[in-house]
Amino acid sequence: MDATTENSQCRSFSIKLWPPSQNTRQMLVERMTNNLTSKSIFTQRYGVLTLEEAEENAKNIEDTAFTTANQHYEKEPDGDGSSAVQLYARECSKLLLEVLKRGPGTKEERGVLASEETKDDKQELESEKVSAAHETLFDISKGKRSFLEAEEAEEILRPLKEPGNSYTKICFSNRSFGLGAAKVAEPILVSLKSQLKEVDFSDFIAGRPEAEALEVMKIFSAALEGSILKSLNLSNNALGEKGVRAFGPLLKSQSSLQELYLMNDGISEEAARAVCELIPSTEKLKVLQFHNNMTGDEGALAISEVVKHSTLLEDFRCSSTRIGSEGGIALSEALESCTRLKKLDLRDNMFGVDAGVALSKAFSRHADLTEIYLSYLNLEDRGTIAIVNALKESAPLLAVLELAGNDVTAEAAPVISACIAVKQHLVKLNLAENELKDEGAVHISKALEEGHNQLEEVDMSTNFVRRAGARLLAQVVIKKPGFKLLNINSNIISEEGIDEMKEIFKKSTDLLGPLDENDPEGGEGDEESGEGEGNEDELESKLKNLEVGGQDD
């Protein structure tokens, strides 16, 4: 079941770029293997690796790069995954170059290694036994994504049967368990359930017929019923209500959960009600993630009941879940009880203005917030103003603020800038796809001028910003010691303004994002409104005298 939604009426359909398919990953490994064994300027200088050595290095490079990029995507999801793809490519290139420069091992080195391995075989075996006894994580997700049947399951799960093992965390993700494999796993899970603390069953039934998938879920659920888990991940399984109820015995027995992940699970209104009904207690819950489901307003009402009783909640993600105004208001009111909240992600829903105002009331109680993701919620000026006014008096350690795609105009800019001015721990600011124009850009620039030495990224793309606003913003951010990226693309900056931007960043070109979608002629029809290029110097002189201030909602 594909739970991907198109929640905002003003947004176009987008394609997910991350994660790459297993086929794509394998092709990259083969390409790198070829680079390590083919004649090139590097191999001529440093030497050609043997095929065996090249394949091993290529697999390690790809695996390391994938892990790094995937951690980035999970920590800072960006919608289509493009930044994760870029990081993946950069890491592969960097590590490949390191291997090329290191060159092949010499015969002597290989001989010494072989000798040492032969001499220490017994010691190594003993060491492995000791290591296995102290290992806490058992993870089968790193290999090729494929079906898992009984015979292979017997082999792959063998370490879990070792007497005296210390596994407290298991990850069965990325392998699709058939009924035979599930029956192999069943007694193993039963034997481990008293010691397990973290269980990841995400994406473990992909491609299975519904009847078989439900039976597998029931087997796993019954096997771990009564365990005392801290973390449970059931994401990417297209659960729906049937799947949630298949996990009923396990969910009903959990009263100490600290983390629960139900992302991309087809969590409909009925499924959300089942979750609310089955989990006996969420008093210890710190992380709750429902990203990319089809929950809707009615489902949000059920989730709100879970949230309301999760008073220790620190990380709540309910993005891309088709929630409108009624559900948004209910969630906002429920969040008032979560006074320890640190990270909130509600992106890509249809909250609207009233839900935004309701959310602002909750923010007055959230002093510990460090990351807020509220893009594409249809907040408009009134909802945005209410939120930033509340945040101005709360969340002193706020590091990430995202309000992209909310139809925010320059009228809200003074209030937004007043909030930003006092957030001296700000690392990332995203106000893209609004209508802040030059006036808004200058307000934001003024707010960032003093302090903000931790600032790394600002996104003001697609805001009808012209030369004056873009130039001032560039002049401000370039002075920040750890700054990494300014995205000012898809605006209406003149050719002269583009040249000025490039001049400002000439010593740090990587800090300025692409400008390929800028439209220097995009504002030619604005002469009558006094916003044409000919009036820009006058506009700039007026805007520079603006002071950062606020206004009441």
Side-chain angles (χ1 to χ4, degrees), residues 168-170 196-201 224 227-234 250 254 256-261 285 287:
T168 59
K169 310 170 188 177
I170 58 171
L196 289 177
K197 299 300 177 186
E198 299 181 22
V199 171
D200 185 347
F201 287 158
L224 291 181
S227 56
I228 304 175
L229 301 179
K230 291 183 178 180
S231 177
L232 178 61
N233 189 346
L234 301 177
L250 174 58
Q254 300 305 305
S256 299
L257 273 181
Q258 295 181 17
E259 300 180 8
L260 177 61
Y261 302 88
L285 205 61
V287 179

CSV table of all heavy atoms in Angstrom, one decimal, residues 168-170 196-201 224 227-234 250 254 256-261 285 287:
chain,number,residue,atom,x,y,z
A,168,THR,N,20.4,-7.3,22.9
A,168,THR,CA,19.3,-6.6,23.4
A,168,THR,C,18.5,-5.8,22.3
A,168,THR,O,17.5,-5.3,22.5
A,168,THR,CB,19.7,-5.6,24.5
A,168,THR,OG1,20.7,-4.7,23.9
A,168,THR,CG2,20.4,-6.3,25.7
A,169,LYS,N,19.2,-5.7,21.1
A,169,LYS,CA,18.6,-5.0,20.0
A,169,LYS,C,18.6,-5.9,18.8
A,169,LYS,O,19.6,-6.5,18.4
A,169,LYS,CB,19.4,-3.7,19.7
A,169,LYS,CG,19.7,-2.9,20.9
A,169,LYS,CD,20.6,-1.8,20.6
A,169,LYS,CE,21.1,-1.0,21.8
A,169,LYS,NZ,22.1,0.0,21.5
A,170,ILE,N,17.5,-6.0,18.1
A,170,ILE,CA,17.4,-6.7,16.8
A,170,ILE,C,16.8,-5.9,15.7
A,170,ILE,O,15.9,-5.1,16.0
A,170,ILE,CB,16.7,-8.1,16.9
A,170,ILE,CG1,15.2,-7.8,17.4
A,170,ILE,CG2,17.4,-9.0,17.9
A,170,ILE,CD1,14.3,-9.1,17.3
A,196,LEU,N,15.4,-8.6,25.2
A,196,LEU,CA,15.3,-7.6,24.2
A,196,LEU,C,14.7,-6.3,24.7
A,196,LEU,O,13.8,-6.3,25.5
A,196,LEU,CB,14.4,-8.1,23.0
A,196,LEU,CG,15.0,-9.2,22.1
A,196,LEU,CD1,14.0,-9.7,21.1
A,196,LEU,CD2,16.3,-8.8,21.5
A,197,LYS,N,15.4,-5.2,24.2
A,197,LYS,CA,14.9,-3.9,24.6
A,197,LYS,C,14.5,-3.0,23.4
A,197,LYS,O,13.7,-2.2,23.5
A,197,LYS,CB,16.0,-3.1,25.4
A,197,LYS,CG,16.4,-3.8,26.7
A,197,LYS,CD,15.3,-3.9,27.6
A,197,LYS,CE,15.6,-4.7,28.9
A,197,LYS,NZ,14.5,-4.9,29.8
A,198,GLU,N,15.1,-3.3,22.2
A,198,GLU,CA,14.8,-2.5,21.0
A,198,GLU,C,14.6,-3.5,19.9
A,198,GLU,O,15.4,-4.4,19.6
A,198,GLU,CB,16.0,-1.6,20.7
A,198,GLU,CG,16.3,-0.6,21.8
A,198,GLU,CD,17.4,0.4,21.4
A,198,GLU,OE1,17.7,0.5,20.2
A,198,GLU,OE2,18.0,1.0,22.3
A,199,VAL,N,13.4,-3.4,19.2
A,199,VAL,CA,13.1,-4.3,18.1
A,199,VAL,C,12.7,-3.4,16.9
A,199,VAL,O,11.8,-2.5,16.9
A,199,VAL,CB,11.9,-5.1,18.5
A,199,VAL,CG1,11.3,-5.9,17.3
A,199,VAL,CG2,12.3,-6.1,19.6
A,200,ASP,N,13.3,-3.8,15.8
A,200,ASP,CA,13.1,-3.1,14.5
A,200,ASP,C,12.5,-4.1,13.5
A,200,ASP,O,13.3,-4.9,12.9
A,200,ASP,CB,14.3,-2.4,14.0
A,200,ASP,CG,14.1,-1.6,12.7
A,200,ASP,OD1,13.0,-1.7,12.1
A,200,ASP,OD2,15.0,-0.8,12.3
A,201,PHE,N,11.2,-4.1,13.3
A,201,PHE,CA,10.6,-4.9,12.3
A,201,PHE,C,10.1,-4.1,11.1
A,201,PHE,O,9.1,-4.5,10.4
A,201,PHE,CB,9.3,-5.7,12.9
A,201,PHE,CG,9.7,-6.7,13.9
A,201,PHE,CD1,8.8,-7.2,14.8
A,201,PHE,CD2,10.9,-7.4,13.8
A,201,PHE,CE1,9.0,-8.2,15.7
A,201,PHE,CE2,11.2,-8.4,14.8
A,201,PHE,CZ,10.3,-8.8,15.7
A,224,LEU,N,6.8,-12.2,20.9
A,224,LEU,CA,7.4,-11.2,21.7
A,224,LEU,C,6.4,-10.6,22.7
A,224,LEU,O,6.7,-9.7,23.4
A,224,LEU,CB,8.0,-10.1,20.9
A,224,LEU,CG,9.2,-10.4,20.1
A,224,LEU,CD1,9.7,-9.2,19.3
A,224,LEU,CD2,10.3,-10.9,21.0
A,227,SER,N,7.2,-9.1,26.3
A,227,SER,CA,8.5,-8.5,26.4
A,227,SER,C,8.4,-7.0,26.9
A,227,SER,O,7.3,-6.4,26.8
A,227,SER,CB,9.2,-8.5,25.0
A,227,SER,OG,8.4,-7.8,24.1
A,228,ILE,N,9.5,-6.5,27.5
A,228,ILE,CA,9.5,-5.2,28.0
A,228,ILE,C,10.4,-4.3,27.1
A,228,ILE,O,11.6,-4.2,27.4
A,228,ILE,CB,10.0,-5.1,29.5
A,228,ILE,CG1,9.1,-6.1,30.3
A,228,ILE,CG2,9.9,-3.7,30.0
A,228,ILE,CD1,9.5,-6.2,31.8
A,229,LEU,N,9.8,-3.8,26.1
A,229,LEU,CA,10.6,-3.0,25.1
A,229,LEU,C,10.7,-1.5,25.4
A,229,LEU,O,9.7,-1.0,25.9
A,229,LEU,CB,10.0,-3.2,23.7
A,229,LEU,CG,9.9,-4.7,23.2
A,229,LEU,CD1,9.3,-4.7,21.8
A,229,LEU,CD2,11.3,-5.3,23.1
A,230,LYS,N,11.8,-1.0,25.0
A,230,LYS,CA,11.9,0.5,25.0
A,230,LYS,C,11.6,1.1,23.7
A,230,LYS,O,11.2,2.2,23.6
A,230,LYS,CB,13.4,0.9,25.5
A,230,LYS,CG,13.7,0.6,26.9
A,230,LYS,CD,15.1,1.0,27.3
A,230,LYS,CE,15.4,0.8,28.7
A,230,LYS,NZ,16.8,1.2,29.1
A,231,SER,N,12.0,0.4,22.6
A,231,SER,CA,11.8,0.9,21.2
A,231,SER,C,11.2,-0.2,20.3
A,231,SER,O,11.6,-1.3,20.3
A,231,SER,CB,13.1,1.4,20.7
A,231,SER,OG,13.0,1.8,19.3
A,232,LEU,N,10.2,0.3,19.5
A,232,LEU,CA,9.5,-0.7,18.6
A,232,LEU,C,9.3,0.1,17.3
A,232,LEU,O,8.7,1.1,17.2
A,232,LEU,CB,8.2,-1.1,19.1
A,232,LEU,CG,7.4,-2.1,18.2
A,232,LEU,CD1,8.1,-3.3,17.9
A,232,LEU,CD2,6.0,-2.4,18.9
A,233,ASN,N,9.9,-0.5,16.2
A,233,ASN,CA,9.7,0.1,14.9
A,233,ASN,C,9.0,-0.8,13.9
A,233,ASN,O,9.5,-1.9,13.6
A,233,ASN,CB,11.1,0.5,14.3
A,233,ASN,CG,11.1,1.3,13.0
A,233,ASN,OD1,10.0,1.4,12.4
A,233,ASN,ND2,12.2,1.9,12.6
A,234,LEU,N,7.8,-0.4,13.5
A,234,LEU,CA,7.0,-1.2,12.6
A,234,LEU,C,6.8,-0.5,11.3
A,234,LEU,O,5.8,-0.8,10.6
A,234,LEU,CB,5.6,-1.5,13.3
A,234,LEU,CG,5.7,-2.3,14.6
A,234,LEU,CD1,4.3,-2.5,15.1
A,234,LEU,CD2,6.4,-3.7,14.4
A,250,LEU,N,1.4,-8.0,20.9
A,250,LEU,CA,2.7,-7.3,21.3
A,250,LEU,C,2.4,-5.9,21.8
A,250,LEU,O,2.9,-5.5,22.9
A,250,LEU,CB,3.6,-7.3,20.1
A,250,LEU,CG,4.9,-6.5,20.3
A,250,LEU,CD1,5.7,-7.0,21.4
A,250,LEU,CD2,5.7,-6.5,19.0
A,254,GLN,N,2.8,-3.9,25.9
A,254,GLN,CA,3.8,-2.8,26.1
A,254,GLN,C,3.4,-1.7,27.0
A,254,GLN,O,2.5,-0.9,26.6
A,254,GLN,CB,4.3,-2.3,24.8
A,254,GLN,CG,4.9,-3.4,23.9
A,254,GLN,CD,6.0,-4.2,24.5
A,254,GLN,OE1,7.0,-3.6,25.0
A,254,GLN,NE2,5.9,-5.5,24.6
A,256,SER,N,6.0,0.1,28.7
A,256,SER,CA,7.2,0.9,29.0
A,256,SER,C,7.9,1.4,27.8
A,256,SER,O,9.0,1.9,27.8
A,256,SER,CB,8.2,0.0,29.8
A,256,SER,OG,7.7,-0.5,31.0
A,257,LEU,N,7.2,1.5,26.7
A,257,LEU,CA,7.7,2.0,25.4
A,257,LEU,C,8.2,3.4,25.5
A,257,LEU,O,7.5,4.3,26.0
A,257,LEU,CB,6.7,1.9,24.3
A,257,LEU,CG,6.6,0.6,23.5
A,257,LEU,CD1,5.6,0.7,22.4
A,257,LEU,CD2,8.0,0.2,22.9
A,258,GLN,N,9.4,3.7,25.0
A,258,GLN,CA,9.9,5.0,25.0
A,258,GLN,C,10.0,5.6,23.5
A,258,GLN,O,10.0,6.8,23.3
A,258,GLN,CB,11.3,5.1,25.5
A,258,GLN,CG,11.4,4.8,27.0
A,258,GLN,CD,12.8,4.8,27.6
A,258,GLN,OE1,13.7,5.4,27.0
A,258,GLN,NE2,13.0,4.2,28.8
A,259,GLU,N,10.0,4.6,22.5
A,259,GLU,CA,10.0,5.0,21.1
A,259,GLU,C,9.1,4.1,20.3
A,259,GLU,O,9.1,2.9,20.4
A,259,GLU,CB,11.4,4.9,20.6
A,259,GLU,CG,12.4,5.8,21.3
A,259,GLU,CD,13.8,5.7,20.7
A,259,GLU,OE1,14.0,5.0,19.6
A,259,GLU,OE2,14.8,6.2,21.3
A,260,LEU,N,8.2,4.7,19.5
A,260,LEU,CA,7.3,4.0,18.6
A,260,LEU,C,7.3,4.6,17.2
A,260,LEU,O,7.0,5.8,17.1
A,260,LEU,CB,5.9,4.0,19.2
A,260,LEU,CG,4.8,3.3,18.4
A,260,LEU,CD1,5.2,1.8,18.2
A,260,LEU,CD2,3.4,3.4,19.0
A,261,TYR,N,7.6,3.8,16.2
A,261,TYR,CA,7.7,4.3,14.8
A,261,TYR,C,6.7,3.5,14.0
A,261,TYR,O,6.7,2.3,13.9
A,261,TYR,CB,9.1,4.0,14.3
A,261,TYR,CG,10.2,4.7,15.1
A,261,TYR,CD1,10.8,4.0,16.1
A,261,TYR,CD2,10.7,6.0,14.8
A,261,TYR,CE1,11.8,4.6,16.9
A,261,TYR,CE2,11.7,6.6,15.5
A,261,TYR,CZ,12.3,5.9,16.6
A,261,TYR,OH,13.3,6.5,17.3
A,285,LEU,N,6.6,7.3,26.8
A,285,LEU,CA,6.9,7.5,25.4
A,285,LEU,C,7.7,8.9,25.2
A,285,LEU,O,7.2,9.9,25.7
A,285,LEU,CB,5.6,7.5,24.6
A,285,LEU,CG,5.8,7.1,23.1
A,285,LEU,CD1,6.3,5.7,23.0
A,285,LEU,CD2,4.5,7.3,22.4
A,287,VAL,N,9.5,9.3,21.9
A,287,VAL,CA,9.5,9.4,20.5
A,287,VAL,C,8.3,8.8,19.8
A,287,VAL,O,8.1,7.6,20.1
A,287,VAL,CB,10.8,8.8,19.8
A,287,VAL,CG1,10.8,9.0,18.3
A,287,VAL,CG2,12.1,9.4,20.4
